[in-house]
Amino acid sequence: MTQELTDLRASILEGRYSDALAIVDELEGMSKKEILRKIKAFLKILIVHLIKNQVEKRLTNSWAASIRNSIR
């Protein structure tokens, strides 16, 4: 949600009000359950890749990318 707020602020400051309203509509559509579901999914991915990394003692590029994406 932080990225959406940053985009919303930028849209307002730049006078792109239709973009700002679209972002507001998107934020209104997000429920707390949906946000928690997304966090849970990213945590699962993160944990799986961190466990793989520990067990296999290696880190592939795709795992590293997935870990970075999950953290963001």
Side-chain angles (χ1 to χ4, degrees):
M1 185 183 312
T2 304
Q3 183 61 44
E4 288 87 358
L5 293 175
T6 302
D7 293 343
L8 177 61
R9 184 176 194 276
S11 295
I12 291 170
L13 291 174
E14 295 171 8
R16 296 181 289 121
Y17 300 114
S18 60
D19 291 347
L21 288 173
I23 294 169
V24 168
D25 289 342
E26 181 182 335
L27 289 173
E28 286 178 348
M30 293 176 115
S31 68
K32 287 183 181 179
K33 271 187 170 179
E34 182 180 348
I35 292 169
L36 291 174
R37 198 174 314 123
K38 287 181 182 181
I39 290 171
K40 185 178 177 181
F42 281 118
L43 284 174
K44 282 181 183 178
I45 293 168
L46 179 62
I47 290 170
V48 166
H49 287 304
L50 290 174
I51 290 170
K52 284 181 181 180
N53 183 30
Q54 289 293 313
V55 170
E56 296 187 17
K57 303 289 187 216
R58 67 185 178 96
L59 184 64
T60 66
N61 289 336
S62 64
W63 293 357
S66 181
I67 290 169
R68 280 192 302 275
N69 185 41
S70 294
I71 291 171
R72 273 189 259 135

